[in-house]
Amino acid sequence: MGEKAVPSLRRRRVKRSCPSCGPEPGGEEKQGRGSPVSVQLFPPELVEHIISFLPVRDVIALGRTCHYFHQVCDAEGVWRRICHKLSPRLREQGSGVRPWKRAAILNYTKGLYFQAFGGRRRCVSKSVAPLLAHGYRRFLPTKDHVFILDYVGTLFFLKNALVSSTLGQIQWKRACRYVVLCRGAKDFASDPRCDTVYRKYLYVLATREQSGVVGATGNRACDCVEVYLQSSGQRVFKMTFHHSMSFKQIVLVGQETHRALLLLTEEGKIYSLVVNETQLDQPRSYTVQLTLRKVSRCLPHLRVTCMASNQSSTLYITDQGGVYFEVHTPGVYRDLFGTLQAFDPLDQQMPLALSLPAKILFCALGYNHLGLVDEFGRIFMQGNNRYGQLGTGDKMDRGEPTQVHYLQCPIAMWCGLNHSLVLSQSSDFSKELLGCGCGAGGRLPGWPKGSASFVRLHVKVPLCACSLCSTRELYMLSSHDIEHHTAYRDLPASRTPEPTGACASQDPGGAARACKEYLIQIHSCPTLQERMEKMREIVGWMPLMAAQKDFFWEALDMLQRAAGGVSPGSPTRES
């Protein structure tokens, strides 16, 4: 009897029956194949359990097929099982409207990628992924290693080490070992200069249980700043604050002997203290004075939401999108503003307000130039432009924020010593990395001579890349938070920008003059090789779509190879 039942079971088929999709077409005419079974007849727990075995990418794709599978694939039970498979040691799902889905996607998309500027191998490599990490929130490369902070406050120490390759050879590998440096971390910072060789110490803002607090019956949570040696991870200094003060961000500014620590409170106030880094490793204790920064004293109504700093300046962004500057040296002040008229060497903490047309969402601060992104996705650059690091198409300094019209809605931005990078997303949701400025030393892969306009770099960008850093190497952090993403507003009709791209036809005179100037530049190049390189650079300047630029660059590469003008060391699209 059991043998006769087997063919009968095989003839039964499971049909996806969804009210929004209607009955399966042609189902009534299909006879002799057994009666169909709707997937909705199965218990929801069983369907969720089966779906949880699919890869995350397939779960997302299945949820887009119909309303029924969208509800099933979006259930927290599915994502709880997926999250336990991705992070078996994760005990709490975190916070948010969809905590398990957010936690699962954070751990699925986490990754740190890097690409060396020098050497023969110019490919993107991936660092070791700590199993204990709950997503990646921030990272910072130092002189020898890399530090990563996750979403539950665990700070990881990614070390370089000698490892054995598949061929049995011993080689030096970047970020291939990891240890937990500390827990309860809120933020961390190091020397603000672009060169990682100066980053000797790591300053960690953390929360610690403090016993014996005056007026408290038990232990009390207090914020503190712990200083670690980046080379070994050894803690050399610690300062603890009163339990009534709660901070959320830390940045550094100034020289080693007079290092100022700026601390941003939850209420938007800024406090500062000064330490001497050259004496931190000495076994001694001393008292430092925590004072209210002048920007919070002179403008008490301002609520600062984030800070950015380098060695000689600090930038503050308020909750209303305003931007205020502190510049501490005359040279940097002249590069940023083009004059020394308002610089006061006796009052370097006086905040300077930047005049901007809209609310600023985030920024990038280099040594003597900066980039700002407003709520409409527009990019504004200011400062020194000696190497074309502002991306304006020329090498003229800008003493006030100047819009880069052909580039909008970036995901992230980074400003270095003399070059700038922008992480953007194309129409097919793929990521691309654009850069401008000095290309020496491989800073702009594919553009060794640099560019005065943002051009697409020869870098394979991870699909979920969200932040970047370019020091002695290029780093890209991959992480996707479903509840925190930059949402740009549509520009009102009364504030429409100047015509670019397809709208440039409305201004044929300006476009014609620009094309004529481009032809003059190409004609002035003496050799075919230089003319091809100039044409590649001009394509990067022109307000074209990303697909159009890729087409022209690929066509130029084909013509260059056909003409035999590619030298063995010159970069190509395949490299």
Side-chain angles (χ1 to χ4, degrees):
M1 184 175 181
E3 294 179 357
K4 294 181 180 179
V6 172
S8 176
L9 289 175
R10 289 179 178 173
R11 285 197 300 266
R12 296 179 67 86
R13 56 193 176 88
V14 177
K15 184 185 73 171
R16 183 197 69 195
S17 177
C18 177
S20 61
C21 300
E24 184 180 1
E28 298 178 356
E29 291 78 7
K30 296 179 180 179
Q31 302 294 335
R33 298 187 182 180
S35 60
V37 178
S38 172
V39 73
Q40 291 179 314
L41 298 178
F42 291 99
E45 297 80 5
L46 178 60
V47 178
E48 292 179 3
H49 182 73
I50 295 173
I51 291 178
S52 65
F53 285 94
L54 295 175
V56 175
R57 185 187 297 269
D58 294 341
V59 174
I60 299 295
L62 182 62
R64 295 174 179 173
T65 56
C66 68
H67 179 68
Y68 171 76
F69 278 121
H70 174 73
Q71 289 183 326
V72 174
C73 294
D74 205 39
E76 281 292 276
V78 173
W79 292 105
R80 177 174 55 83
R81 294 184 180 93
I82 295 175
C83 189
H84 284 164
K85 288 192 299 183
L86 293 174
S87 301
R89 301 185 183 183
L90 184 65
R91 293 293 179 263
E92 299 180 359
Q93 72 271 29
S95 60
V97 179
R98 309 303 305 276
W100 284 115
K101 183 176 182 179
R102 177 173 181 254
I105 294 180
L106 280 175
N107 288 281
Y108 176 73
T109 58
K110 69 181 180 183
L112 179 64
Y113 301 82
F114 57 91
Q115 175 174 323
F117 287 149
R120 292 177 296 176
R121 294 187 60 188
R122 296 188 179 182
C123 59
V124 175
S125 304
K126 186 177 181 180
S127 71
V128 62
L131 295 177
L132 298 175
H134 180 43
Y136 291 165
R137 186 158 65 96
R138 268 204 64 203
F139 78 102
L140 180 69
T142 59
K143 180 181 178 181
D144 302 311
H145 309 290
V146 182
F147 295 86
I148 292 182
L149 179 65
D150 72 355
Y151 279 83
V152 294
T154 305
L155 186 60
F156 293 91
F157 181 18
L158 273 60
K159 298 181 177 182
N160 304 331
L162 290 172
V163 296
S164 177
S165 65
T166 55
L167 301 178
Q169 300 177 348
I170 302 298
Q171 59 183 1
W172 184 257
K173 193 172 182 180
R174 185 80 165 151
C176 62
R177 300 283 187 270
Y178 75 90
V179 295
V180 176
L181 184 68
C182 67
R183 302 182 187 275
K186 293 183 173 181
D187 195 19
F188 61 104
S190 187
D191 191 293
R193 282 173 283 192
C194 298
D195 195 343
T196 56
V197 72
Y198 299 107
R199 297 174 183 175
K200 181 180 179 182
Y201 293 101
L202 188 75
Y203 294 76
V204 180
L205 175 64
T207 300
R208 298 284 181 262
E209 292 290 336
Q210 195 75 11
S211 60
V213 178
V214 178
T217 56
N219 295 345
R220 209 152 193 182
C222 298
D223 282 359
C224 64
V225 172
E226 299 174 341
V227 185
Y228 295 85
L229 278 172
Q230 69 85 29
S231 57
S232 62
Q234 176 187 359
R235 195 182 76 182
V236 297
F237 188 73
K238 179 181 179 180
M239 60 190 86
T240 305
F241 307 107
H242 193 265
H243 62 83
S244 62
M245 305 192 71
S246 178
F247 303 101
K248 66 177 183 179
Q249 187 185 1
I250 179 174
V251 298
L252 309 182
V253 66
Q255 300 285 343
E256 293 90 335
T257 57
H258 197 265
R259 182 77 75 198
L261 280 66
L262 306 186
L263 299 164
L264 176 61
T265 67
E266 298 288 349
E267 295 77 22
K269 302 298 181 183
I270 299 175
Y271 288 83
S272 65
L273 57 93
V274 178
V275 298
N276 187 348
E277 268 192 9
T278 60
Q279 300 178 356
L280 288 179
D281 54 352
Q282 300 179 7
R284 57 188 291 267
S285 61
Y286 56 92
T287 303
V288 294
Q289 185 178 7
L290 186 68
T291 60
L292 192 65
R293 198 72 172 177
K294 190 164 188 177
V295 63
S296 295
R297 292 201 316 266
C298 297
L299 304 171
H301 62 283
L302 291 182
R303 181 183 174 90
V304 179
T305 56
C306 65
M307 305 181 293
S309 70
N310 60 28
Q311 187 179 6
S312 304
S313 58
T314 310
L315 186 145
Y316 308 108
I317 299 180
T318 67
D319 58 344
Q320 300 298 320
V323 178
Y324 291 84
F325 233 127
E326 284 183 17
V327 185
H328 305 148
T329 59
V332 174
Y333 190 97
R334 186 192 298 273
D335 286 337
L336 287 172
F337 298 100
T339 179
L340 289 175
Q341 183 176 359
F343 180 75
D344 186 358
L346 302 178
D347 191 9
Q348 299 176 359
Q349 292 188 17
M350 176 60 68
L352 305 171
L354 293 184
S355 177
L356 294 158
K359 179 180 179 180
I360 297 299
L361 298 184
F362 62 92
C363 68
L365 183 59
Y367 173 67
N368 54 10
H369 76 287
L370 64 106
L372 303 167
V373 180
D374 71 358
E375 57 184 334
F376 303 110
R378 297 177 297 183
I379 297 177
F380 296 88
M381 306 293 290
Q382 177 178 344
N384 186 284
N385 198 24
R386 179 180 179 184
Y387 297 92
Q389 59 263 45
L390 300 186
T392 54
D394 53 42
K395 296 185 179 180
M396 297 174 56
D397 297 346
R398 300 296 196 278
E400 58 185 15
T402 303
Q403 183 180 353
V404 181
H405 291 283
Y406 60 90
L407 199 58
Q408 292 183 353
C409 301
I411 298 173
M413 181 186 298
W414 191 87
C415 293
L417 182 64
N418 47 32
H419 72 293
S420 304
L421 301 177
V422 166
L423 181 64
S424 66
Q425 181 172 282
S426 59
S427 57
D428 60 351
F429 298 102
S430 62
K431 304 292 178 60
E432 59 183 10
L433 188 61
L434 307 173
C436 65
C438 179
R443 292 182 180 90
L444 303 180
W447 302 85
K449 295 183 179 180
S451 173
S453 298
F454 281 99
V455 292
R456 184 178 180 183
L457 305 183
H458 295 180
V459 177
K460 185 178 180 181
V461 183
L463 182 63
C464 296
C466 61
S467 63
L468 63 147
C469 175
S470 177
T471 54
R472 293 176 178 264
E473 294 172 311
L474 173 64
Y475 293 88
M476 293 175 288
L477 185 71
S478 173
S479 182
H480 180 67
D481 191 347
I482 62 175
E483 296 184 0
H484 296 87
H485 60 277
T486 304
Y488 295 114
R489 297 173 52 197
D490 293 331
L491 192 67
S494 59
R495 303 164 72 175
T496 303
E498 296 180 7
T500 59
C503 299
S505 59
Q506 301 175 2
D507 184 22
R513 287 192 298 271
C515 292
K516 187 175 181 180
E517 177 63 28
Y518 293 153
L519 288 174
I520 294 175
Q521 294 180 20
I522 295 174
H523 183 71
S524 63
C525 297
T527 64
L528 176 61
Q529 177 74 11
E530 293 182 3
R531 290 186 179 184
M532 299 289 280
E533 291 296 331
K534 175 59 68 175
M535 184 61 193
R536 287 171 55 86
E537 187 176 356
I538 289 174
V539 170
W541 293 347
M542 299 179 73
L544 303 173
M545 297 177 62
Q548 295 172 330
K549 290 186 178 181
D550 290 342
F551 165 74
F552 283 116
W553 284 332
E554 185 67 28
L556 287 171
D557 284 340
M558 293 173 60
L559 293 174
Q560 199 171 24
R561 289 193 296 268
V566 178
S567 61
S570 60
T572 63
R573 297 287 299 178
E574 287 78 13
S575 65

